[in-house]
């Protein structure tokens, strides 16, 4: 047997949360999947099961089967559990038509949803992505069903409602494309500053870090993390994966990918960001292979484990970073 620690052991010993987004069907049906998850990671988040659409099959019912499967797996295996996500404009229920509601009814609907879901998991979920992707790519507030009905205040309300029922959970704002210092992260910084000035109970910001074509400069990621920390917020990397443009793949993609994972984990260790979640367990389960035209645009092996759960160079790079 090898004396080398597993990835999970290295993370545990460093006091670092290394996580994966989890598919409940794979968890139930594929022993290699849950064994890899349990032995290599010490943090989980449901990839889809806690979103409003999957949770709400009809207006007056909830189906917690899949969400419970992932959350309970995390709790049973002593893992850090992230909840993703209470308020988002995507993956709303198929029966949900915003125009069927007055603005006040929509507000009540959202309050009930947050109270029910965050309340159910109050003793199990450590950190919630309360609001996901509220800022558009150009830095303006994204015009969503929630924003159109309630204005920017929907964020204030969502964080307040979550804090009422899950007072011990850390409450996060989460977004993509804002990993380094850029126009969008500037806008998110301004938004969070406004929320804090209004006394909104926001604890942290999640940087998704879907590094598909573009790999944000680690130095700029570090500076970005530090400016959010200076606001009094925690920062986590919440949905990391690393691909290449399909028409611009380096000669040694696995090594370049490993180096990027390593540099981000090292950056986190340097600046005191204690959590990195990868958006899936292994390449065969990655969303990139199944999303819109992404398989034509990007390579589809973005994670630490290959399709057959083999440890990739990225796995070893992350473990090395955690050990040194
Ligand atoms: O579950 C249904 C299944 O019943 C149906 O037969 C099948 C047919 O298309 O669809 C299945 O649902 C899909 C679901 O993933 C589960 O596989 C949805 O169509 C598909 O849209 C959904 O994609 C998810 C995507 O969010 C939705 O926007 C991805 O899995 C998920 O990885 C992705 O995650 C997001 C984060 O939540 C937020 N940040 C970006 C990230 C990547 O887009």
């Amino acid at each position: 047997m090898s004396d080398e620690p597993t990835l999970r052991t290295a993370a545990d010993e460093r006091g670092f949360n290394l996580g994966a987004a989890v598919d409940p069907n794979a968890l139930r049906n594929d022993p290699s999947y849950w064994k890899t998850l349990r032995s290599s990671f010490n943090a989980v988040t449901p990839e889809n099961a806690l979103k409003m659409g999957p949770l709400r099959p009809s207006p007056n019912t909830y189906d917690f089967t899949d969400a419970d499967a992932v959350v309970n797996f995390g709790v049973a295996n002593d893992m850090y559990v992230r909840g993703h996500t209470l308020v988002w404009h995507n993956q709303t229920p198929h029966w949900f038509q915003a125009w069927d509601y007055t603005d006040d009814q929509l507000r009540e609907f959202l309050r009930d949803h947050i109270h029910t879901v965050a309340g159910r998991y109050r003793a199990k979920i450590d950190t919630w992505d309360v609001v996901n992707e509220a800022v558009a790519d150009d830095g303006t507030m994204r015009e969503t069903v929630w924003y159109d009905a309630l204005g920017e205040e929907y964020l204030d309300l969502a964080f307040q409602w979550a804090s009422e029922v899950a007072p011990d959970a850390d409450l996060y704002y989460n977004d993509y494309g804002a990993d380094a210092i850029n126009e969008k992260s500037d806008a998110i910084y301004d938004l969070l500053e406004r929320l804090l000035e209004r006394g909104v109970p926001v604890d942290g910001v999640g940087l998704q870090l879907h590094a598909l074509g573009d790999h944000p400069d680690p130095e700029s990621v570090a500076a970005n993390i530090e400016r959010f920390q200076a606001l009094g917020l925690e920062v986590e990397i919440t949905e990391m994966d690393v691909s290449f443009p399909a028409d611009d793949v380096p000669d040694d993609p696995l090594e370049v990918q490993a180096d990027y994972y390593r540099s981000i984990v090292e950056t986190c260790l340097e600046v005191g960001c204690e959590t990195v979640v990868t958006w899936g367990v292994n390449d065969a389960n990655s969303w990139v292979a199944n999303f819109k035209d992404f398989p034509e645009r990007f390579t589809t092996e973005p994670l630490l484990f290959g399709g057959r759960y083999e440890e990739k160079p990225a796995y070893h790079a992350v473990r090395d970073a955690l050990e040194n």
Side-chain angles (χ1 to χ4, degrees):
M1 279 225 355
S2 161
D3 290 339
E4 291 187 327
T6 67
L7 191 55
R8 179 174 182 162
T9 310
D12 283 341
E13 286 178 358
R14 196 72 192 240
F16 195 84
N17 300 314
L18 183 70
V22 176
D23 168 6
N25 289 323
L27 193 64
R28 281 188 282 261
N29 299 325
D30 180 355
S32 298
Y33 183 92
W34 65 257
K35 287 179 185 170
T36 302
L37 179 62
R38 191 179 64 178
S39 65
S40 302
F41 297 93
N42 60 5
V44 285
T45 187
E47 181 173 354
N48 288 299
L50 277 172
K51 294 170 183 173
M52 196 180 273
L55 278 182
R56 309 289 302 268
S58 68
N60 297 311
T61 57
Y62 285 82
D63 182 351
F64 289 109
T65 312
D66 283 350
D68 282 354
V70 179
V71 172
N72 290 340
F73 181 89
V75 172
N77 289 291
D78 201 19
M79 293 165 139
Y80 174 71
V81 182
R82 300 194 90 260
H84 175 83
T85 173
L86 293 167
V87 190
W88 194 24
H89 59 281
N90 266 335
Q91 281 178 291
T92 52
H94 63 85
W95 49 263
F96 178 80
Q97 303 290 348
W99 55 84
D100 286 347
Y101 300 83
T102 66
D103 292 352
D104 281 348
Q105 286 171 329
L106 207 63
R107 178 187 164 113
E108 286 307 296
F109 173 85
L110 189 59
R111 186 176 65 89
D112 287 349
H113 180 81
I114 291 174
H115 276 174
T116 302
V117 178
R120 177 184 182 86
Y121 295 108
R122 73 168 74 214
K124 296 184 173 178
I125 287 186
D126 299 291
T127 298
W128 270 107
D129 290 334
V130 176
V131 178
N132 194 43
E133 301 173 6
V135 173
D137 293 349
D138 65 1
T140 59
M141 290 302 291
R142 190 186 292 277
E143 293 191 7
T144 67
V145 41
W146 315 113
Y147 184 77
D148 291 348
L150 306 171
E152 186 174 301
E153 197 198 359
Y154 88 87
L155 287 105
D156 305 41
L157 295 169
F159 280 97
Q160 185 57 43
W161 291 328
S163 76
E164 286 166 6
V165 295
D168 297 331
D170 284 335
L171 305 180
Y172 270 57
Y173 175 80
N174 190 53
D175 215 327
Y176 69 86
D179 316 298
I181 294 196
N182 57 34
E183 189 179 26
K184 186 166 177 177
S185 62
D186 286 350
I188 291 169
Y189 180 92
D190 292 344
L191 170 65
L192 290 170
E193 196 172 40
R194 292 197 295 278
L195 294 180
L196 290 167
E197 279 169 8
R198 297 201 290 266
V200 176
V202 52
D203 298 305
V205 56
L207 308 177
Q208 295 184 7
L209 200 43
H210 290 291
L212 301 184
D214 177 37
H215 298 174
D217 173 17
E219 284 187 18
S220 184
V221 174
N224 196 33
I225 292 172
E226 284 173 324
R227 71 169 165 166
F228 284 113
Q229 290 171 332
L231 274 182
L233 296 168
E234 299 164 12
V235 183
E236 298 184 344
I237 304 296
T238 53
E239 306 185 15
M240 187 169 179
D241 37 25
V242 183
S243 289
F244 301 93
D247 60 2
D248 191 17
V249 184
D251 292 340
D252 50 354
L254 294 177
E255 296 305 327
V256 178
Q257 181 185 58
D259 285 345
Y260 191 65
Y261 269 108
R262 184 200 320 272
S263 66
I264 290 299
V265 172
E266 286 175 351
T267 295
C268 280
L269 291 167
E270 277 163 28
V271 299
C273 139
E274 293 168 354
T275 299
V276 171
V277 176
T278 62
W279 207 237
V281 172
N282 71 331
D283 288 340
N285 283 286
S286 166
W287 69 290
V288 180
N290 298 302
F291 194 73
K292 297 182 183 168
D293 62 349
F294 278 25
E296 286 112 69
R297 291 172 55 202
F298 304 111
T299 58
T300 55
E301 294 87 33
L303 296 167
L304 304 182
F305 289 90
R308 296 188 178 139
Y309 301 99
E310 65 276 22
E311 296 167 1
K312 293 167 63 180
Y315 170 100
H316 297 284
V318 171
R319 196 187 59 193
D320 290 350
L322 290 170
E323 281 193 281
N324 295 315

